[in-house]
Amino acid sequence: MTVRTAVVTGASSGIGAATARRLAAAGFRVVLTARRAERIEALARELTGSGHRAVARPLDVTRRADVEEFGAWLGGCDVLVNNAGGALGLDPVATGDPADWRAMYEVNVMGVLHMTQVLLPALRAGGDGTVVVVTSTAGHGTYEGGAGYVAAKHGAHVLARTLRLELVGEPVRVIEIAPGMVKTDEFSLVRFGGDRERAGRVYQGVAEPLTAEDVADTIAWTVTRPSHVNVDLLVVRPRAQASNTKVHRGE
Ligand code: 8X3
């Protein structure tokens, strides 16, 4: 049986690293990309050390020329998991930093666009391709202070939805995964510029936020469905979260 290749962006931590592990365990040859070379190299070593197929390739998805160079190096591709993304700040529209808004658009939308455009020929050529876009519940509703991130994730949602329309009839699925509250090492820490206390408050009193593994599990499930099954959109939240703004917090 031919080995299928899955590319995971943002594979240095959190949902991306967990997804790389899950897809490797499912038999894919995983190509790990992220800006932080040492992290993805360590993960690739860990995976190959336990008998899986994995290779690390440092990449900043916002740099078009680098993405094109990556595509030329890659060759075949069966699954692309567009996971790289993130939030910066939680400021109201009135005072939000335009540079943060632009940076969030660059990684959450343009990064997905660059990767998808460059790898689409390979995904088509393989005859059974899958594009996964990891958006967020922020792509499906808003909350105070979230507008910059919410706008970017709405952009990624629209990209996925439109691409699915445009590719109908072709052998490429487009899957959107929209996670709610996920407690990872870095998401909130990055959002709040390294402020651990503020990052910790996001999850305060929430008995069980989702983990990166929970989301990786849903991604792996959608990707491993039979080829004719396209899970268009999977929204996943912890039980303690009923909407972007309705979260149960205990003591
Ligand atoms: C993360 C979910 O609520 O911080 O994508 O926007 S939220």
Side-chain angles (χ1 to χ4, degrees):
M1 218 180 109
T2 49
V3 176
R4 289 164 59 75
T5 293
V7 173
V8 181
T9 69
S12 52
S13 70
I15 294 170
T19 300
R21 285 196 173 92
R22 283 300 301 256
L23 294 181
F28 285 91
R29 166 184 174 256
V30 289
V31 179
L32 316 174
T33 76
R35 286 173 302 177
R36 291 176 294 184
E38 66 294 344
R39 288 220 181 196
I40 51 173
E41 279 157 12
L43 180 52
R45 273 197 303 276
E46 176 199 314
L47 291 172
T48 52
S50 42
H52 300 308
R53 297 178 185 85
V55 59
R57 187 88 180 177
L59 180 65
D60 179 343
V61 295
T62 67
R63 298 167 77 100
R64 178 66 180 221
D66 292 0
V67 173
E68 281 174 7
E69 198 181 303
F70 171 80
W73 165 84
L74 180 67
C77 178
D78 303 288
V79 175
L80 165 62
V81 181
N82 286 295
N83 164 74
L88 294 172
L90 193 63
D91 302 308
V93 173
T95 55
D97 184 343
D100 284 347
W101 279 60
R102 192 167 285 120
M104 287 190 279
Y105 196 83
E106 279 294 328
V107 66
N108 291 292
V109 183
M110 297 308 292
V112 177
L113 180 70
H114 295 322
M115 289 299 291
T116 304
Q117 285 187 336
V118 168
L119 298 195
L120 202 46
L123 290 159
R124 282 178 164 132
D128 183 13
T130 299
V131 177
V132 176
V133 182
V134 181
T135 62
S136 167
T137 48
H140 298 269
T142 193
Y143 54 91
E144 293 103 317
Y149 180 61
V150 164
K153 284 301 191 185
H154 274 70
H157 161 65
V158 167
L159 186 159
R161 206 171 152 191
T162 309
L163 182 65
R164 194 178 304 116
L165 293 172
E166 292 168 352
L167 294 183
V168 75
E170 297 196 48
V172 182
R173 301 184 285 193
V174 181
I175 295 169
E176 178 185 349
I177 308 287
M181 182 184 278
V182 187
K183 189 175 181 185
T184 59
D185 292 340
E186 294 188 332
F187 179 82
S188 292
L189 203 57
V190 170
R191 175 171 231 170
F192 298 125
D195 183 338
R196 279 193 186 278
E197 204 186 311
R198 198 167 173 208
R201 281 206 294 275
V202 172
Y203 314 102
Q204 205 163 25
V206 181
E208 284 178 292
L210 294 181
T211 64
E213 289 70 29
D214 292 326
V215 181
D217 189 39
T218 66
I219 294 171
W221 179 77
T222 61
V223 166
T224 55
R225 292 313 84 208
S227 306
H228 69 287
V229 178
N230 195 131
V231 179
D232 286 7
L233 167 65
L234 196 156
V235 177
V236 54
R237 302 181 196 266
R239 187 173 53 190
Q241 183 183 35
S243 80
N244 289 359
T245 51
K246 179 106 181 147
V247 179
H248 176 74
R249 295 180 196 270
E251 289 314 304

